[in-house]
Amino acid sequence: MSLNGKKPVAIIGGGLAGLTAAAQLRRHGAPFVLYEAGPKIAGLAMTFSDGDGFSYDFGAHFITNRLAAAIGIGSKCRTVRYYGETVFMDGRTYGYPFGLMRVPRFAFKGVVAKAAAFKKGNAPQSAAEWYRRNYGSAMADEVAIPLTEAWSGVAADKLSPAVGDSLPGSISRTIMLKLASRLTRRAVACGYSREMPETPNVWHVYPEGGLGLLCQRLASGLEEDIKLESPVEEILVEDGRVVAVRAKGFEQEVSAVVSTAPRHILAKLVKGTDALQPLSRFRYRPMVFVNMRFQGRGLLPDVVIWTPENKYPFFRLTETPLSMPWLAPEGKTLITVDIGCNVGDETWSMDEEQLGEFCLGHLEDMIPNARQKYLGCRVLRTPIAYPVFLNEYEADRQRFELSTGVEGLYSIGRNGEFSHIFMEDVYWRTMKRTRQLVASLDR
Ligand SMILES: Cc1cc2nc3c(=O)[nH]c(=O)nc-3n(C[C@H](O)[C@H](O)[C@H](O)COP(=O)(O)OP(=O)(O)OC[C@H]3O[C@@H](n4cnc5c(N)ncnc54)[C@H](O)[C@@H]3O)c2cc1C
């Protein structure tokens, strides 16, 4: 098949999804131009180093050995030996999932809820209802709902029950994967991929030098067709079909557009149709990540600590060096504090020093002498960390999952699909979509 004479495909975004699409188009001989708004590729898969030997990503980042192998960086990744999550409540810790299951009221109400849900049959109408049916009222009200509300900034009865779809599957599978982890001394991935089977042979790894390596590998050999600092300003549609994009005032005729931009932004870019108008109200949750540096290591009881009590301004703490010791110098550690917020609010506007102080005040509950061990922090902010599944636009969300409604326009990637997916699923889903695109170009 020769696609060489065709107009190029415009790819919007140089994160994992855009670069996966670009590499796949090149493999099929289809011309493309990739536009990246920022000065660098990688998007949310960017790694930051502070010059003092600490490095951190957007949030807590792992990939799997399966994704690393697919992209061709398997030999450049280190195996993650341990990964664990714990819930901190009433000054006590409960391992996930076994520790929580041992709390009698959680176990009892969970069994009652399962039996009742079995009888009821009808589908839950909100995330709150989904949690109560699946976990029981005690675990839902004390753990799952407060965490969801802190993370999304919205009451759980206003969120779609589809929020539950992003959580790990059956408890028996979780137990099997956790046991496999202990036996193999590898952090077996659990709740990471929906596109591919989760088995004891798929575990967490971390690329040498950081996650950016994934994107560098995908971009290698494509440099000439990647335009940095080139935000796409308009996508032009005629008679229901994409015909061109405009970037830096220059119009490029195209055969198709693959966008990885968040959906509400995509809606604003499209001109010549109002088919995407419903997407303009889709919301994303902004986050501030405070990467706090400390003397010592093992300051938290586990790699990830969930904090459902609303006295804490954060909902998750991650001590990444417990899983990946190389992310901090020996004898020191890094704790990433995730705080949900809104762009421009008090949290968003605090400077680094204020945020460090703000978090320290709360961490002293959990880390004895936290202040004396503190070595300063580095802050990352993003306005688009998590898609917020509001019930009020659930019907539109489901409709746009099938198609953008504009011929030749594809919306892919985590924010383009408006989906809580990890990098492995971003990759497999993008591969699938790009194959469909190549087939349509060939027609
Ligand atoms: C807090 C957090 C923790 C996470 N943890 C993990 C984890 O542990 N493991 C894991 O596998 N995944 C994790 N993920 C998910 C993972 O980071 C994403 O799924 C993946 O990086 C998304 O890639 P993407 O290409 O879809 O989007 P992005 O990386 O967001 O890339 C989109 C790109 O499009 C560009 N862009 C936007 N608008 C325009 C425009 N108009 N013109 C040109 N360019 C534009 C942006 O600048 C950006 O570079 C996490 C995500 C978050 C937010």
Side-chain angles (χ1 to χ4, degrees):
M1 140 171 75
S2 172
L3 299 169
N4 248 331
K6 296 253 177 193
K7 291 172 192 162
V9 174
I11 300 173
I12 305 180
L16 179 68
L19 290 165
T20 300
Q24 177 84 340
L25 287 173
R26 171 60 52 85
R27 222 168 285 140
H28 286 278
F32 68 87
V33 183
L34 186 150
Y35 299 91
E36 167 52 50
K40 285 185 187 165
I41 57 166
L44 284 171
M46 216 176 276
T47 303
F48 302 83
S49 297
D50 65 4
D52 294 326
F54 293 89
S55 79
Y56 42 90
D57 306 287
F58 270 109
H61 265 137
F62 307 96
I63 58 165
T64 59
N65 59 321
R66 183 166 55 193
L67 175 62
I71 290 182
I73 59 162
S75 63
K76 296 200 173 338
C77 287
R78 302 199 221 197
T79 292
V80 175
R81 296 277 163 207
Y82 173 77
Y83 174 76
E85 300 182 16
T86 284
V87 175
F88 184 80
M89 276 186 316
D90 304 323
R92 292 183 56 191
T93 53
Y94 303 86
Y96 171 82
F98 307 119
L100 285 173
M101 282 158 50
R102 279 199 289 267
V103 178
R105 67 179 184 289
F106 291 165
F108 175 70
K109 296 259 170 105
V111 172
V112 171
K114 282 273 177 207
F118 188 69
K119 273 197 223 140
K120 261 188 199 159
N122 54 336
Q125 298 300 305
S126 69
E129 221 179 287
W130 188 95
Y131 285 131
R132 291 194 183 107
R133 282 212 200 170
N134 283 277
Y135 299 162
S137 58
M139 176 108 79
D141 292 335
E142 292 176 48
V143 183
I145 291 178
L147 284 174
T148 301
E149 293 182 341
W151 147 79
S152 65
V154 174
D157 59 3
K158 297 209 159 32
L159 291 170
S160 149
V163 167
D165 298 343
S166 59
L167 299 168
S170 75
I171 202 75
S172 54
R173 171 155 288 270
T174 303
I175 292 172
M176 187 273 281
L177 294 172
K178 296 275 174 199
L179 283 176
S181 232
R182 280 198 197 161
L183 289 173
T184 59
R185 288 196 55 251
R186 289 191 298 234
V188 172
C190 178
Y192 189 92
S193 175
R194 276 171 271 155
E195 294 294 312
M196 297 286 262
E198 297 201 297
T199 77
N201 294 324
V202 181
W203 63 87
H204 293 180
V205 298
Y206 192 83
E208 281 168 17
L211 289 170
L213 186 64
L214 280 175
C215 292
Q216 282 159 23
R217 178 59 188 248
L218 285 166
S220 130
L222 310 179
E223 294 82 357
E224 276 190 12
D225 296 306
I226 296 177
K227 294 186 187 303
L228 298 175
E229 298 187 84
S230 303
V232 168
E233 294 139 7
E234 288 184 343
I235 299 169
L236 308 178
V237 175
E238 280 174 16
D239 301 325
R241 190 173 212 307
V242 285
V243 290
V245 297
R246 192 188 303 276
K248 290 186 154 174
F250 175 76
E251 196 171 304
Q252 168 71 57
E253 285 189 20
V254 296
S255 57
V257 173
V258 172
S259 171
T260 69
R263 288 197 161 180
H264 62 305
I265 292 177
L266 176 63
K268 288 184 190 120
L269 297 180
V270 171
K271 308 291 169 199
T273 172
D274 55 11
L276 279 85
Q277 209 40 45
L279 299 182
S280 58
R281 64 197 179 123
F282 279 35
R283 255 204 251 163
Y284 293 79
R285 176 69 157 164
M287 288 277 151
V288 168
F289 304 108
V290 187
N291 295 289
M292 306 187 68
R293 301 170 306 171
F294 290 96
Q295 195 67 46
R297 190 160 292 184
L299 303 189
L300 294 181
D302 213 335
V303 181
V304 171
I305 305 295
W306 297 99
T307 53
E309 290 166 301
N310 65 11
K311 64 179 175 176
Y312 296 112
F314 42 77
F315 61 95
R316 180 170 64 176
L317 305 170
T318 311
E319 188 173 353
T320 41
L322 293 184
S323 265
M324 299 171 288
W326 51 86
L327 295 183
E330 214 170 303
K332 295 182 181 167
T333 202
L334 189 70
I335 294 180
T336 303
V337 181
D338 294 21
I339 314 179
C341 58
N342 289 310
V343 173
D345 73 7
E346 202 186 336
T347 310
W348 182 270
S349 312
M350 279 189 214
D351 66 23
E352 226 158 53
E353 208 177 310
Q354 289 170 321
L355 277 165
E357 268 303 309
F358 181 59
C359 295
L360 261 188
H362 293 279
L363 286 179
E364 284 183 313
D365 274 11
M366 283 171 233
I367 305 172
N369 305 320
R371 196 168 291 278
Q372 284 91 312
K373 295 174 183 151
Y374 181 55
L375 301 170
C377 70
R378 296 283 184 272
V379 174
L380 297 172
R381 295 177 177 81
T382 173
I384 49 156
Y386 295 100
V388 178
F389 285 15
L390 280 179
N391 243 339
E392 68 188 56
Y393 48 64
E394 181 58 11
D396 286 328
R397 188 187 70 80
Q398 289 182 14
R399 187 158 58 87
F400 280 98
E401 258 183 9
L402 305 174
S403 148
T404 60
V406 172
E407 213 184 320
L409 176 60
Y410 297 77
S411 184
I412 61 156
R414 177 180 167 100
N415 289 326
E417 292 204 41
F418 200 73
S419 184
H420 295 223
I421 44 179
F422 285 107
M423 284 188 253
E424 203 186 320
D425 281 356
V426 167
Y427 179 78
W428 300 122
R429 293 179 66 81
T430 300
M431 293 289 278
K432 209 188 305 173
R433 289 290 188 87
T434 315
R435 276 196 292 272
Q436 289 163 359
L437 165 60
V438 168
S440 78
L441 291 176
D442 195 33
R443 284 198 292 270

